Amino acid sequence: MDVVKLGKKIREERKKLFLKQGDISGDEFSKGYISLIEKGKINPSLKALDFIANKLNKPLVYFLDDDYKDKAELMEEIGMYKKVLKLVIESRKSLDSGNYNDAIMLYEKALECKVDDFTLNIISFYLGRTYVKIENYKSALDLFKKCLPYFAESSSYEILVEIYYNLGLCYGNLQNFTTSLTYYLKAIDEFEKSSIINYELKCRILYSIGTLYNKMGELIKSRDYYLNCLNCATKTNTVNYIAKCNNGLGLVSYKLKEYKDALKYIRKSLVISKALNIKSDIANEYNYLGFVYTDLKKYDIAKKYFFYSYAIYKDLSDKLGMAYNLTELGRIEFYTENYDKALEYINASMNIVKELNEEEEMGRLYILLGCIHLKLKDFDSSMSELTKSVEILKKLGLKRDLSDAYKALGNLYIDIGKPDLASENFNKSIELLCDYYK
């Protein structure tokens, strides 16, 4: 032990017993000698230290080992860890039963306990994941950022990968796609470097990157990650991701206007999802089939699939899924020139996404509203809605949808007799579209 620390420890123990330096000196060791030891001026001999330890009713090892704990301290520490373990077990039970608020309260109580850094950081990680479950992404972010430095310096690689993944998930749900992508890519990079054997985690990360690239309009990159995920899921028999990847590849193929491939992938996915009875995925796949048949102008078939999807989402109380279907039903009514019915569907969808603060879908809905009001010759409403859509979609970096917004603005400027502004917006739309399909 460092002589200064040793001296300080001896002084503290002496004062706890209300003893003076003279009380622990003797024939061989003077008061002055004790004083020099306590000030860290000299290193006592083993004989002197044993003499002092006896005077202070401590074993010699207490002063030689920094980590030594007496029985009372040890029992107190064991009691604290038992308390933490009980709180964590109770919180996990609350999670399993869906009582997320109870789980959060229990985790927060556990964080108040005086335990080691690893335990506190792992509890912070579990608490962050619980906040993700209740979609409180800002609170989750704070916790993941707090425990990230600790796990980045430790050898807990799988937890580090999970933290990177969850940071990507949170930023994505908060519409910050660029930062989300950064953390997802860090997650897969760390996974590959660390030789982790967790196939579900690898598939989850690859699928999330594919989905984010899809959302951002990077379709070729999206397809590459979906295929990579599908390959991993097939080799490891991770069945749910085989379905998810076929679903994602179907959507990419649809966006690339490769409709035959789109139908092939989506139907494969639908077969697996039905076999596994994953209702949310079934609803999603019906939705994508509706997209394809809308583009193929088979509107009756498309509407059938959108209604199927809407019914499942309603049964699941998934408001955002319901909104997506209302949007597409409104789009079909717009294409078939039933503008009043189109407005009914679109406004119903807008009410839901505003409640959920889903800016991405808001941006798309403003395009549709702008186009409908353009057809109805309500140019002021059309201008206001299309301008809002450009602001939202530009902020989110959604190239394909932003291209549609600029194209709609071009059509508006044609109708109100401003060809120069129309040309400017058409050019912006084309540039984005070329970048989207490159």
Side-chain angles (χ1 to χ4, degrees):
M1 179 182 286
D2 177 83
V3 291
V4 175
K5 286 184 178 179
L6 175 59
K8 184 180 178 183
K9 196 169 187 178
I10 290 170
R11 184 172 64 252
E12 286 174 351
E13 290 303 319
R14 175 176 61 79
K15 288 185 174 182
K16 282 180 186 177
L17 298 173
F18 302 101
L19 298 174
K20 297 179 180 179
Q21 288 177 344
D23 295 328
I24 63 171
S25 63
D27 295 336
E28 291 187 64
F29 309 107
S30 66
K31 177 181 174 183
Y33 182 70
I34 300 297
S35 177
L36 289 171
I37 292 173
E38 289 190 357
K39 290 177 181 178
K41 300 293 185 182
I42 59 172
N43 196 357
S45 66
L46 196 58
K47 182 180 179 182
L49 193 56
D50 186 47
F51 176 84
I52 294 168
N54 285 327
K55 288 282 188 177
L56 296 173
N57 297 318
K58 292 288 183 184
L60 178 60
V61 69
Y62 178 78
F63 294 107
L64 294 174
D65 185 356
D66 284 337
D67 295 322
Y68 176 84
K69 293 182 177 68
D70 61 28
K71 187 176 179 180
E73 287 178 310
L74 199 56
M75 291 306 294
E76 183 182 351
E77 186 173 322
I78 290 170
M80 186 62 72
Y81 276 99
K82 283 184 176 179
K83 179 182 177 182
V84 169
L85 180 60
K86 183 180 179 182
L87 287 167
V88 170
I89 291 171
E90 287 177 357
S91 62
R92 296 305 293 266
K93 287 179 180 177
S94 295
L95 277 175
D96 291 342
S97 59
N99 297 321
Y100 299 122
N101 290 328
D102 288 349
I104 288 169
M105 179 189 69
L106 291 163
Y107 278 136
E108 287 175 343
K109 280 185 179 179
L111 285 173
E112 294 171 2
C113 298
K114 292 181 180 179
V115 288
D116 64 283
D117 287 345
F118 175 82
T119 303
L120 290 173
N121 279 287
I122 200 72
I123 292 170
S124 293
F125 168 67
Y126 289 145
L127 179 56
R129 291 206 305 189
T130 307
Y131 275 121
V132 168
K133 286 184 179 293
I134 62 170
E135 300 180 2
N136 186 342
Y137 299 114
K138 289 183 179 178
S139 294
L141 273 179
D142 289 340
L143 286 158
F144 291 135
K145 287 179 179 178
K146 182 180 177 182
C147 61
L148 176 60
Y150 176 85
F151 289 110
E153 292 178 5
S154 72
S155 56
S156 305
Y157 301 118
E158 190 164 336
I159 295 173
L160 178 60
V161 171
E162 284 278 11
I163 290 171
Y164 282 140
Y165 168 79
N166 277 283
L167 283 166
L169 178 66
C170 291
Y171 276 113
N173 280 288
L174 291 171
Q175 313 288 306
N176 189 337
F177 301 135
T178 304
T179 306
S180 173
L181 181 61
T182 299
Y183 280 113
Y184 279 148
L185 292 173
K186 280 185 178 181
I188 197 61
D189 182 58
E190 192 66 37
F191 186 99
E192 299 293 356
K193 286 193 303 184
S194 306
S195 302
I196 298 167
I197 303 174
N198 183 334
Y199 302 122
E200 188 278 336
L201 177 56
K202 183 175 182 179
C203 288
R204 185 167 14 119
I205 299 166
L206 290 171
Y207 177 78
S208 297
I209 296 171
T211 300
L212 188 56
Y213 272 131
N214 193 344
K215 190 172 285 189
M216 295 171 73
E218 303 281 350
L219 296 182
I220 305 305
K221 288 181 181 178
S222 174
R223 182 165 61 187
D224 289 344
Y225 274 97
Y226 280 142
L227 287 169
N228 194 354
C229 182
L230 182 59
N231 182 49
C232 177
T234 304
K235 283 182 179 178
T236 59
N237 201 30
T238 312
V239 180
N240 58 325
Y241 279 98
I242 296 174
K244 286 177 181 292
C245 290
N246 275 296
N247 194 346
L249 286 164
L251 183 58
V252 169
S253 299
Y254 155 73
K255 289 182 177 179
L256 291 170
K257 301 189 183 302
E258 298 169 356
Y259 299 121
K260 186 176 179 180
D261 284 342
L263 290 172
K264 177 187 73 175
Y265 284 125
I266 297 167
R267 283 170 178 157
K268 278 185 181 179
S269 178
L270 185 58
V271 169
I272 299 170
S273 297
K274 284 184 173 181
L276 297 174
N277 196 30
I278 306 174
K279 291 186 177 181
S280 58
D281 287 353
I282 295 169
N284 200 22
E285 283 136 16
Y286 281 145
N287 203 26
Y288 288 173
L289 285 170
F291 288 160
V292 176
Y293 283 112
T294 298
D295 268 26
L296 293 172
K297 295 183 169 54
K298 295 182 178 181
Y299 298 129
D300 288 341
I301 299 175
K303 286 169 75 173
K304 178 184 72 173
Y305 282 119
F306 287 134
F307 281 125
Y308 286 164
S309 179
Y310 181 87
I312 296 172
Y313 280 132
K314 187 175 182 181
D315 186 50
L316 294 171
S317 300
D318 186 335
K319 289 186 177 182
L320 186 58
M322 292 164 62
Y324 287 152
N325 284 283
L326 290 169
T327 299
E328 297 311 315
L329 288 165
R331 193 186 307 278
I332 291 173
E333 298 300 342
F334 168 67
Y335 290 156
T336 54
E337 299 183 358
N338 297 318
Y339 300 128
D340 289 342
K341 191 67 176 173
L343 284 172
E344 182 183 329
Y345 281 127
I346 300 302
N347 285 326
S349 180
M350 182 65 88
N351 289 336
I352 295 173
V353 298
K354 281 185 175 179
E355 177 191 341
L356 300 175
N357 196 30
E358 279 289 334
E359 287 190 304
E360 183 183 341
E361 189 65 8
M362 258 187 256
R364 296 191 184 106
L365 286 169
Y366 277 127
I367 297 174
L368 268 174
L369 285 170
C371 291
I372 293 169
H373 284 124
L374 176 59
K375 289 290 185 181
L376 295 172
K377 303 300 180 184
D378 183 351
F379 300 129
D380 289 340
S381 294
S382 180
M383 178 66 75
S384 173
E385 288 152 355
L386 293 174
T387 302
K388 285 178 184 175
S389 73
V390 167
E391 289 173 359
I392 293 170
L393 298 169
K394 187 185 288 186
K395 182 180 76 172
L396 298 179
L398 301 175
K399 298 176 186 177
R400 180 67 179 84
D401 297 306
L402 185 57
S403 171
D404 289 343
Y406 280 128
K407 180 182 176 182
L409 271 172
N411 289 328
L412 172 60
Y413 282 122
I414 288 288
D415 274 24
I416 62 177
K418 295 184 177 181
D420 291 343
L421 288 173
S423 178
E424 180 184 325
N425 280 276
F426 285 140
N427 285 333
K428 288 179 181 178
S429 174
I430 292 167
E431 286 172 10
L432 283 165
L433 211 55
C434 289
D435 191 33
Y436 180 75
Y437 285 113
K438 71 180 180 181

